[in-house]
Amino acid sequence: MKNFNQQLSSRTSSKLINRQMNLPRYFSYLLFFGCGLALGVTLCSYLTHISSNFHLDNFSIQSQTSVSKSSSSFSPISPPPPPTSPLEVYLNQKSNQTDLKEYFVKPPKKVSHNMKEEELIWRASMVPNVRELPFIFAPKVAFLFLTAGPLPLAPLWELFFKGYEGLYTIYVHSNPLFNGTVPSNSVFYDRRIPSKVLQWGTFEVVEAERLLLANALLDLSNQRFVLLSESCIPLFNFSTIYNYLMGTSKSFLEVYDQPGPIGRDRYNPRMSPTIQLDQWRKGSQWFQIDRRLAHEVITNQKYFSIFQRFCNGLCFGDEHYLPTLVTTKLWRRISNRTLTWVNWSKIGPHPFTFGRIETTRDNLEWLRSNGNKGCEYNGRRIHICYLFARKFMPNALDRLMRLAPHVMQF
């Protein structure tokens, strides 16, 4: 028992000595831990202070625009601005929200753009699902001029459009190589669309008409579309033509079936089975159509690709594409006549032309009344059958300008 107590006392003394020997080491650990904790708290407090100053500096920079840049030696880098949304791009949004009505109704100052043809057709093909507009606007007539170069009768059209701003838009497709200039005070200034080189009599003419329609469809307020050439003139004043076009739900496009070499013989059998011979139609290319039909013209890829491939040479697609298309799609919505008068009594590929000598008061009056013949309009017969006429030469301009105020009542 005595030996056991001695051993226990010896072990206890040994442990106590070891603890006394390790005590400085424990103190060193504790001191190291305490220093680290103090350093961490200090560093955290410093970073919090810096972050607070950073936010205060940013707030001060954003809210006090009059503070000089040299007032502080520390200028934090501002974060990049958020990406601009597509809607902001399309509406040209400024600091204040751009009014939707202003964007859709106010015509753009220029019609030039960098869109490729595929992009243009895609954008023009969009149709609002909600038909009721959230605002009221005056519908406009889009005048589409398909020209080879200059517009020699532009002064007459200037007189025609004068005083009716906001009720029309103008689009001009001319040869891209044409370098003519237009005065900045002209209604034709900056109205040339991105165009393509074309050869008259080829399907390229239809492609140019399609470009004109697509550009005009970008303006939602354009509700009627009139195709014109540089030799076309208006036979009535603006208000008469505007009311005539807006007063009916019909589109004006000439469509008929003509046998022989200048009709059915132009049909290419390789268009079958998409387009059959009994669907082949002919008509004047000078149309006056509504927005629904214009949309159908630019979005119909099926017929367009067939004509593009097989209507070439002596096919003259500008006389057959639209008549054939509407015959199979929207024939109930057309009046089956054009509003552009052309005299084809002359034998040959070109119509009768009006020069200075032929431009008389009697001739213009006859054109306005269609020789006292009537035509159908909204289910009744009226004496106004044509709103436009061609083909007037540049040397007829002087007489047209003198006769317009009296005959056309400009």
Side-chain angles (χ1 to χ4, degrees):
M1 183 67 178
K2 182 180 181 179
N3 291 337
F4 176 76
N5 291 335
Q6 289 178 352
Q7 292 178 1
L8 181 61
S9 177
S10 175
R11 291 177 182 176
T12 302
S13 299
S14 176
K15 290 181 179 180
L16 182 60
I17 293 172
N18 288 336
R19 288 177 181 175
Q20 292 176 350
M21 292 179 64
N22 291 332
L23 189 59
R25 182 183 303 173
Y26 293 149
F27 277 116
S28 64
Y29 288 160
L30 183 61
L31 180 62
F32 180 77
F33 174 76
C35 291
L37 181 61
L39 180 62
V41 172
T42 303
L43 182 59
C44 182
S45 177
Y46 176 76
L47 291 177
T48 303
H49 176 72
I50 291 297
S51 176
S52 176
N53 288 341
F54 176 78
H55 289 297
L56 287 174
D57 287 342
N58 274 346
F59 177 79
S60 177
I61 290 173
Q62 294 173 5
S63 61
Q64 300 178 8
T65 57
S66 61
V67 176
S68 173
K69 292 182 180 180
S70 60
S71 62
S72 175
S73 58
F74 175 69
S75 179
I77 300 176
S78 300
T84 305
S85 69
L87 182 59
E88 291 173 343
V89 174
Y90 296 153
L91 300 182
N92 192 21
Q93 186 173 3
K94 301 178 182 178
S95 57
N96 296 326
Q97 179 68 32
T98 301
D99 185 47
L100 186 65
K101 176 182 177 181
E102 180 182 356
Y103 170 73
F104 281 115
V105 178
K106 186 177 181 180
K109 294 181 179 180
K110 296 182 179 181
V111 293
S112 59
H113 54 75
N114 295 322
M115 287 186 289
K116 296 180 180 179
E117 184 173 344
E118 296 79 8
E119 297 171 335
L120 170 66
I121 298 299
W122 178 80
R123 280 206 52 191
S125 66
M126 296 181 180
V127 177
N129 288 328
V130 179
R131 293 187 177 273
E132 294 76 17
L133 295 176
F135 46 79
I136 299 175
F137 68 92
K140 294 184 294 189
V141 179
F143 292 87
L144 317 177
F145 288 86
L146 182 63
T147 74
L151 286 165
L153 303 181
L156 179 69
W157 286 101
E158 297 270 4
L159 193 61
F160 169 78
F161 288 120
K162 187 176 180 180
Y164 294 96
E165 292 77 12
L167 296 176
Y168 67 87
T169 49
I170 297 173
Y171 302 85
V172 180
H173 182 291
S174 59
N175 193 313
L177 302 178
F178 173 64
N179 295 323
T181 58
V182 178
S184 59
N185 61 346
S186 170
V187 295
F188 295 98
Y189 182 71
D190 278 339
R191 304 310 298 175
R192 287 180 61 182
I193 67 169
S195 56
K196 61 194 307 180
V197 178
L198 61 86
Q199 182 179 353
W200 293 101
T202 67
F203 193 69
E204 295 170 350
V205 177
V206 177
E207 296 173 356
E209 295 173 5
R210 192 166 175 254
L211 288 177
L212 282 166
L213 284 172
N215 279 275
L217 282 168
L218 296 180
D219 187 339
L220 186 64
S221 59
N222 288 330
Q223 296 296 309
R224 290 281 170 168
F225 305 81
V226 177
L227 183 65
L228 302 161
S229 73
E230 68 269 26
S231 66
C232 286
I233 67 165
L235 294 175
F236 297 88
N237 57 28
F238 184 91
S239 60
T240 301
I241 291 178
Y242 180 87
N243 291 330
Y244 196 102
L245 293 173
M246 295 299 177
T248 179
S249 61
K250 296 287 187 178
S251 289
F252 297 92
L253 181 68
E254 186 180 58
V255 178
Y256 57 91
D257 181 15
Q258 180 171 342
I262 60 173
R264 286 199 173 197
D265 289 357
R266 293 176 178 176
Y267 171 77
N268 190 334
R270 287 184 293 177
M271 292 182 173
S272 178
T274 304
I275 302 173
Q276 303 287 348
L277 177 60
D278 58 0
Q279 298 173 324
W280 186 254
R281 295 294 183 271
K282 183 181 178 179
S284 172
Q285 74 176 108
W286 311 107
F287 57 72
Q288 302 81 28
I289 61 178
D290 62 13
R291 189 174 184 88
R292 179 180 174 183
L293 183 52
H295 183 266
E296 181 67 31
V297 171
I298 70 156
T299 57
N300 191 294
Q301 298 291 336
K302 186 176 182 180
Y303 277 47
F304 184 79
S305 61
I306 292 293
F307 266 83
Q308 208 171 30
R309 290 176 59 190
F310 301 119
C311 185
N312 42 55
L314 298 178
C315 178
F316 299 103
D318 56 314
E319 296 182 3
H320 295 279
Y321 176 65
L322 286 184
T324 302
L325 176 64
V326 299
T327 297
T328 58
K329 302 286 291 185
L330 297 168
W331 62 271
R332 294 182 181 272
R333 296 184 58 86
I334 65 171
S335 291
N336 198 20
R337 63 184 179 92
T338 178
L339 300 180
T340 301
W341 186 90
V342 185
N343 185 352
W344 285 103
S345 61
K346 179 182 177 181
I347 299 177
H350 301 289
F352 178 83
T353 58
F354 286 81
R356 183 179 182 277
I357 298 177
E358 293 81 13
T359 305
T360 64
R361 183 175 187 133
D362 289 340
N363 283 342
L364 291 177
E365 291 285 7
W366 185 88
L367 291 175
R368 284 164 54 89
S369 63
N370 190 31
N372 294 322
K373 295 179 181 179
C375 55
E376 183 179 340
Y377 178 83
N378 287 347
R380 58 189 178 90
R381 295 195 68 80
I382 60 174
H383 71 279
I384 298 180
C385 298
Y386 296 103
L387 302 181
F388 311 94
R390 63 187 303 267
K391 201 175 181 181
F392 284 79
M393 297 294 98
N395 62 1
L397 177 62
D398 180 62
R399 286 197 173 184
L400 286 171
M401 293 295 290
R402 287 191 285 111
L403 292 172
H406 307 286
V407 180
M408 289 88 143
Q409 300 176 3
F410 285 2

